Amino acid sequence: MVHEIGLDSFLFGQSWMPVDFGTGTTFGIFNFICATLIVSALALALSFVVSVGAALFLSCAGSTTVRNIVYPAIDLLAGIPSVVYGFVGLVVVVKLFLAAGHPSGSCVLAAAIVLAVMVVPFMVSSMSDTMTAVKQTYLTASYLLGVPRWYGIYAIVLPASIRMLWPSVMLAFARAMGETMAVMMVVGNANLFPTLLGKGETIASLIALEMGTAAVDSTHMHALFAAGFVLLVIVFTVDVIANLIKNRMHRRTTYSSGTSTWILGRVGARLVQAWAYASITLVIGTVVFLFAYVFVQGASCMSWDFIFDSPSGAILGTEGGVFPAIAGSIWFSVCALVIAAPLAIGTAIFTTFYCKHRTIAAAIRRIIACTAGAPSIVLGLFAYMLLVNELKLGRCILAGGVALALMIIPFIEVRAEKALMSIPRELIVNARSLGCSTSYVLRTIAIPYCLGELFSSLVLGGCYALGATAPLIFTGGVAYAPVPTSIFDPAMALPLHLYLMLAQGTTVPQVYATAFVLMTLVLFVNLIVTVGAQWGKKQWNQY
């Protein structure tokens, strides 16, 4: 591809013309790179203040009961499929821009707003862990000295935590750059240099929109794969920078609040308190709004026929129902879990209990982190090239399942490892001091102790796969596909069905009803996770 186009022309060219209309073809991705960076940076700027405030509340102010309610709500926000975010962005955010006088409603700022909502739960989760560690180290001691709680949060926790939050911000930035469907549905998809109220197109959107029309082994296809490689390099570079910042922060053992900065005293403490409460209210309000909006709009269109019929009509979704899409989503998710579960759980067990060398364990965790940051559209490209194109499997559940498995392996592994690391150290030490083998400790202590958390990580991984769209566009999703009978059949999935209906101009009621079914599945899965976690704790207490 470099010989055909030239590296400079490819990276810094602003013209993308894959079809020759007499002036030749051109493949320059500079505008797409800029749009990817600018949309992601704007999303982080919009979400940072809310995320820090919500993390402050959860780590320092919320009671155990409140946290047990809020954290599942934030998990719900993270579990909403990106295509639903894109759909709500189209019918709410874009319409608001139209009402404000914007000519089309679709623009870089609209995409950034939608993307900001998507990255908030990931930032809140990682930031609250950092702030909790700082709180445990310093805030308890400040209480003994008579320092009021919110003054301690303002003068100690916030300044000590703020510079340690940058790894979380960088990782969220990497994740935002890989988002495909939600951004693609509201950004306008025009090869223009991105401006705040102008249209743009990200690299992930470019690949998703054009890979289906690119001829096999053509320059067009090679350019799309090269664009995916560039996106992967950018994401990995950001991930490496985040890791370097994190390591540097861990090497520093002292924290300074900087008295010249935190000079507002009790007024500043009150402002931080108001900021934290406003932020957590906004996060919870967003969760309630998203589910309430989809449920209210979609409930009037729901019927048993819609759930159990197959789609029909000249335009997808205008008649019939979504049963093949529901069945296909289950097939894809189960296939992905069968592939991912043993690899993810096995890796977590190995790094926690069997790996004796810190360097090897650190290398494994670095690979997991890099895989977690890989854009889902790039994972879909990999599965397409290997399974669909090279191995000639065609579009099928197995190809889509492999792409989804690559996506959820780090998701499951990180949660499983965290669950295994939460086992009280004294239990492991006492068992080994009695001569128990590692395998015996795993069977009798480790697995029973965190069984509920391991179950939850698998179910959440399946839910993550259930809501994915981008990896299935090239690998296994086919419109009007019947209910599959084997892993070598193509299938339709609910999120892809929703996106295709929007792309083909299907009437809105059917789209709302499809989103209703998808959100109901997400809510049901999260209920299973909550029940599973409680069941695991109960089983251990009875053990």
Side-chain angles (χ1 to χ4, degrees), residues 216 221 225 379-403 471-477:
V216 177
M221 174 172 282
F225 272 92
L379 299 178
L381 282 180
F382 171 78
Y384 168 78
M385 181 54 66
L386 177 64
L387 300 175
V388 177
N389 197 21
E390 295 296 331
L391 298 182
K392 308 299 182 184
L393 292 180
R395 296 192 178 196
C396 61
I397 290 173
L398 178 60
V402 169
L472 301 180
I473 294 176
F474 321 122
T475 56

Side-chain angles (χ1 to χ4, degrees), residues 259-295:
T259 55
S260 61
T261 303
W262 310 94
I263 59 176
L264 295 178
R266 296 185 182 277
V267 175
R270 293 296 182 186
L271 290 175
V272 169
Q273 182 179 10
W275 170 26
Y277 276 94
S279 297
I280 200 66
T281 301
L282 183 60
V283 172
I284 299 302
T286 301
V287 177
V288 173
F289 169 77
L290 286 170
F291 277 89
Y293 182 80
V294 172
F295 285 166

Side-chain angles (χ1 to χ4, degrees), residues 99-452:
H102 192 278
S104 66
S106 298
C107 61
V108 169
L109 181 57
I113 292 172
V114 174
L115 190 56
V117 178
M118 296 183 67
V119 300
V120 160
F122 303 101
M123 294 179 69
V124 170
S125 179
S126 57
M127 287 178 176
S128 61
D129 289 341
T130 300
M131 291 179 178
T132 299
V134 174
K135 170 195 170 184
Q136 292 172 347
T137 304
Y138 297 105
L139 199 59
T140 303
S142 73
Y143 290 160
L144 298 177
L145 296 174
V147 177
R149 181 176 63 172
W150 278 104
Y151 187 85
I153 294 170
Y154 162 71
I156 300 173
V157 176
L158 184 58
S161 301
I162 197 71
R163 61 185 178 80
M164 298 188 69
L165 301 180
W166 292 112
S168 301
V169 174
M170 297 298 288
L171 291 174
F173 186 50
R175 182 176 182 84
M177 285 191 292
E179 175 53 41
T180 305
M181 302 308 298
V183 173
M184 181 175 69
M185 294 167 72
V186 297
V187 77
N189 300 316
N191 182 21
L192 302 170
F193 186 82
T195 59
L196 195 62
L197 296 179
K199 294 183 178 181
E201 187 170 0
T202 63
I203 295 176
S205 301
L206 171 71
I207 296 170
L209 289 170
E210 296 196 9
M211 181 57 72
T213 60
V216 177
D217 290 329
S218 64
T219 304
H220 186 193
M221 174 172 282
H222 295 162
L224 291 173
F225 272 92
F229 178 75
V230 170
L231 178 60
L232 198 62
V233 169
I234 295 173
V235 170
F236 282 176
T237 301
V238 172
D239 183 78
V240 169
I241 294 172
N243 189 54
L244 291 175
I245 295 174
K246 185 177 180 180
N247 290 338
R248 182 180 178 185
M249 295 302 180
H250 283 175
R251 287 196 295 268
R252 300 176 66 175
T253 57
T254 59
Y255 304 94
S256 175
S257 63
T259 55
S260 61
T261 303
W262 310 94
I263 59 176
L264 295 178
R266 296 185 182 277
V267 175
R270 293 296 182 186
L271 290 175
V272 169
Q273 182 179 10
W275 170 26
Y277 276 94
S279 297
I280 200 66
T281 301
L282 183 60
V283 172
I284 299 302
T286 301
V287 177
V288 173
F289 169 77
L290 286 170
F291 277 89
Y293 182 80
V294 172
F295 285 166
V296 169
Q297 297 292 332
S300 61
C301 309
M302 288 299 300
S303 67
W304 291 112
D305 289 338
F306 181 79
I307 295 175
F308 291 106
D309 283 354
S310 298
S312 58
I315 299 177
L316 181 66
T318 53
E319 298 177 16
V322 293
F323 184 72
I326 296 174
S329 292
I330 295 173
W331 271 86
F332 281 121
S333 299
V334 171
C335 182
L337 276 177
V338 169
I339 297 170
L343 296 174
I345 301 296
T347 302
I349 290 174
F350 175 78
T351 54
T352 306
F353 288 95
Y354 287 99
C355 187
K356 305 300 182 182
H357 301 282
R358 291 185 178 181
T359 304
I360 296 176
I364 292 174
R365 292 188 178 104
R366 186 81 257 122
I367 293 172
I368 292 295
C370 289
T371 306
S376 60
I377 192 72
V378 175
L379 299 178
L381 282 180
F382 171 78
Y384 168 78
M385 181 54 66
L386 177 64
L387 300 175
V388 177
N389 197 21
E390 295 296 331
L391 298 182
K392 308 299 182 184
L393 292 180
R395 296 192 178 196
C396 61
I397 290 173
L398 178 60
V402 169
L404 294 175
L406 292 173
M407 185 181 74
I408 67 174
I409 283 174
F411 184 91
I412 297 173
E413 195 279 339
V414 169
R415 283 158 178 75
E417 186 173 339
K418 185 176 180 180
L420 293 170
M421 293 292 288
S422 68
I423 301 172
R425 191 66 183 169
E426 59 270 18
L427 293 179
I428 307 298
V429 172
N430 292 340
R432 285 179 171 168
S433 66
L434 294 173
C436 299
S437 64
T438 302
S439 60
Y440 183 83
V441 171
L442 276 171
R443 292 196 312 271
T444 59
I445 298 177
I447 300 300
Y449 183 87
C450 57
L451 185 61

